[in-house]
């Protein structure tokens, strides 16, 4: 009887051990499952976050940055500056020069020149030509005027004409001095053969037309 109880006790202890073992194994397995599940969940979240982050990075890389707006370069206009000559202070006039020429002719003992309107027409045209040209033309405009202006040819046919030019004088008196001291032009002041004449002057240019 005692042996039977002892056997039952041994069997019961073994059964308890088995139950405890099963419980422990089950508990360990469930715990491992929970741990694995938790780790898996964290891993999944990490992967999800990584994928999300990668997606953000990928989209950031894939989306081209807006092209910079180029402002047009303003090229200053470069409009160029015209250099103008110095203002002309040579304000002596034709009548002033006319009076000084006749005065000097008197001093040389020759007759004064008498004015002729047709000679003034030629003198006026020639002065305008020189002002437009800006320099003396070597009497070219005077020589070819009958061809350019056939309506004035009769003046050349009627008179023996001479032209005297001056440029750059600062006064009418200086203009007379330039004529007097230039070979060929002194005849304006000393030529007794000249009877008529006309003088125009402006802007530093002087034109004297004489005739007989």
């Amino acid at each position: 009887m005692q042996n039977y109880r002892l056997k039952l006790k041994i069997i019961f202890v073994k059964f308890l051990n088995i139950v405890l073992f099963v419980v422990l194994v089950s508990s360990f397995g469930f715990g491992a499952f929970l741990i694995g599940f938790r780790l898996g969940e964290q891993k999944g979240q990490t992967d999800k976050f990584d994928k999300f982050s990668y997606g953000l990075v990928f989209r950031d890389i894939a989306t081209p940055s807006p092209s910079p707006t180029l402002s047009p370069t303003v090229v200053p206009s470069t409009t160029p500056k015209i250099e103008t000559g110095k203002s002309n202070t040579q304000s002596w006039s034709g009548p002033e020069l006319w009076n000084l020429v006749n005065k000097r002719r008197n001093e040389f003992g020759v007759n004064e020149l008498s004015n002729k309107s047709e000679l003034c027409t030629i003198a006026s045209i020639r002065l305008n030509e020189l002002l437009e040209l800006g320099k003396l033309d070597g009497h070219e405009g005077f020589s070819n005027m009958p061809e350019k202006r056939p309506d004035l040819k009769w003046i050349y046919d009627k008179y023996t004409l001479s032209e005297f030019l001056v440029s750059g004088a600062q006064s009418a008196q200086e203009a007379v001095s330039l004529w007097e001291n230039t070979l060929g032009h002194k005849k304006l002041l000393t030529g007794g053969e000249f009877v008529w004449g006309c003088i125009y002057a402006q802007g530093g240019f002087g034109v004297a037309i004489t005739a007989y």
Side-chain angles (χ1 to χ4, degrees), residues 107-132:
E107 292 172 352
F108 277 114
V110 296
N111 60 289
E112 294 184 2
L113 298 173
S114 298
N115 186 267
K116 278 283 186 179
S117 60
E118 53 262 47
L119 302 184
C120 289
T121 299
I122 296 176
S124 174
I125 293 173
R126 290 292 292 134
L127 178 61
N128 287 328
E129 289 177 346
L130 297 180
L131 289 173
E132 183 176 354

Side-chain angles (χ1 to χ4, degrees), residues 4-5 18 35 107 140 148 157 164 194:
Y4 178 74
R5 289 180 178 177
I18 292 172
I35 293 173
E107 292 172 352
E140 180 180 354
K148 294 187 303 181
D157 294 338
F164 301 88
F194 299 131

Side-chain angles (χ1 to χ4, degrees), residues 157-179:
D157 294 338
K158 182 177 180 179
Y159 303 101
T160 299
L161 302 175
S162 297
E163 179 185 66
F164 301 88
L165 303 178
V166 66
S167 174
Q170 297 299 313
S171 65
Q173 185 61 60
E174 185 180 359
V176 173
S177 297
L178 289 173
W179 273 329

Side-chain angles (χ1 to χ4, degrees), residues 1-203:
M1 187 68 178
Q2 290 181 350
N3 291 332
Y4 178 74
R5 289 180 178 177
L6 181 60
K7 289 180 179 180
L8 287 177
K9 188 176 181 178
I10 292 172
I11 292 172
F12 180 74
V13 171
K14 288 182 178 181
F15 176 76
L16 287 177
N17 288 334
I18 292 172
V19 171
L20 289 175
F21 177 76
V22 171
V23 170
L24 288 175
V25 171
S26 299
S27 298
F28 178 78
F30 182 73
F33 170 77
L34 289 178
I35 293 173
F37 178 79
R38 184 60 179 170
L39 291 175
E41 183 181 13
Q42 291 178 352
K43 181 65 169 60
Q45 290 179 350
T46 301
D47 292 342
K48 183 178 180 181
F49 177 77
D50 290 342
K51 290 180 181 178
F52 178 72
S53 299
Y54 177 77
L56 290 178
V57 174
F58 179 78
R59 284 194 297 270
D60 185 61
I61 294 174
T63 304
S65 58
S67 300
T69 302
L70 299 178
S71 300
T73 302
V74 178
V75 179
S77 60
T78 60
T79 300
K81 185 179 180 181
I82 300 175
E83 295 291 336
T84 57
K86 295 181 179 179
S87 58
N88 199 315
T89 59
Q90 302 161 349
S91 59
W92 43 277
S93 64
E96 183 182 1
L97 186 57
W98 170 264
N99 291 332
L100 289 175
V101 165
N102 274 331
K103 178 183 177 182
R104 190 60 176 148
R105 284 176 65 85
N106 276 329
E107 292 172 352
F108 277 114
V110 296
N111 60 289
E112 294 184 2
L113 298 173
S114 298
N115 186 267
K116 278 283 186 179
S117 60
E118 53 262 47
L119 302 184
C120 289
T121 299
I122 296 176
S124 174
I125 293 173
R126 290 292 292 134
L127 178 61
N128 287 328
E129 289 177 346
L130 297 180
L131 289 173
E132 183 176 354
L133 186 63
K135 62 180 181 179
L136 301 180
D137 64 354
H139 305 286
E140 180 180 354
F142 175 75
S143 300
N144 61 24
M145 187 172 292
E147 289 75 30
K148 294 187 303 181
R149 294 290 303 270
D151 57 315
L152 301 178
K153 186 176 182 299
W154 68 271
I155 303 175
Y156 284 78
D157 294 338
K158 182 177 180 179
Y159 303 101
T160 299
L161 302 175
S162 297
E163 179 185 66
F164 301 88
L165 303 178
V166 66
S167 174
Q170 297 299 313
S171 65
Q173 185 61 60
E174 185 180 359
V176 173
S177 297
L178 289 173
W179 273 329
E180 185 174 342
N181 293 284
T182 304
L183 183 64
H185 291 79
K186 188 175 181 179
K187 197 71 172 175
L188 172 63
L189 307 175
T190 61
E193 69 273 24
F194 299 131
V195 180
W196 301 287
C198 185
I199 295 178
Y200 269 60
Q202 182 181 333

